[in-house]
Amino acid sequence: MEIFLAAVGEYLGRVGAETTIDLYADFEITDPEPQRLFDEMRQDASVQAKSANAGRRRGDPYMGVPLDLTSDKGITYFSRLAHRTIGCESVLKNRVIFSTVENERIVLMGIPDQEVEALESKAREAGATTLSRVA
């Protein structure tokens, strides 16, 4: 999944989609690197919320955290965490074009079929072996 999501993240960054991630997980993240990245993102979100809202109360700092998919760091967070959290979505022109919802194996994509095929091909070339589509 991470290989495929890296290709998807690059695409989403290239088309200018706004991407957010919810930094909660229903299941323990057992892989050390994704767990480290998850903890790092939560720490950053907490610090940003405190500095942006000094003295004011705001919503949950771990929900709807923006991801910059024009950077390698943002793509790394996306590829390692999007499928491990309770939700991650990308919006382009007020339309959701990517979403994961509490599922480590399924992503929803609202992009043209030829783009999906190109992303699948890129992921397979990078080593992905278990990709499949659900109609």
Side-chain angles (χ1 to χ4, degrees):
M1 181 63 86
E2 292 177 7
I3 294 170
F4 178 65
L5 288 177
V8 172
E10 290 174 12
Y11 170 81
L12 294 170
R14 190 171 58 252
V15 299
E18 293 182 23
T19 302
T20 59
I21 188 168
D22 299 332
L23 296 175
Y24 290 100
D26 282 336
F27 303 99
E28 180 183 358
I29 299 173
T30 57
D31 294 330
E33 179 66 4
Q35 181 62 55
R36 183 188 68 74
L37 293 170
F38 182 78
D39 293 341
E40 184 177 289
M41 279 198 78
R42 284 180 62 97
Q43 177 65 29
D44 288 348
S46 180
V47 168
Q48 286 180 344
K50 286 178 184 174
S51 66
N53 298 305
R56 295 184 306 228
R57 186 172 168 94
R58 182 182 165 254
D60 190 332
Y62 304 128
M63 294 296 288
V65 176
L67 274 174
D68 175 8
L69 297 183
T70 63
S71 73
D72 290 341
K73 185 176 183 178
I75 291 170
T76 298
Y77 284 137
F78 179 80
S79 66
R80 304 298 192 280
L81 298 175
H83 61 298
R84 290 183 164 102
T85 65
I86 63 168
C88 182
E89 72 177 21
S90 296
V91 175
L92 183 64
K93 298 178 183 175
N94 295 320
R95 192 173 63 99
V96 175
I97 62 169
F98 171 87
S99 179
T100 61
V101 179
E102 300 180 18
N103 193 312
E104 289 193 22
R105 296 191 175 127
I106 297 173
V107 299
L108 305 172
M109 298 186 65
I111 63 174
D113 281 342
Q114 67 268 21
E115 296 292 343
V116 174
E117 290 168 9
L119 292 171
E120 288 175 343
S121 178
K122 183 174 183 173
R124 288 185 196 288
E125 289 173 15
T129 58
T130 58
L131 298 176
S132 61
R133 284 198 202 185
V134 177

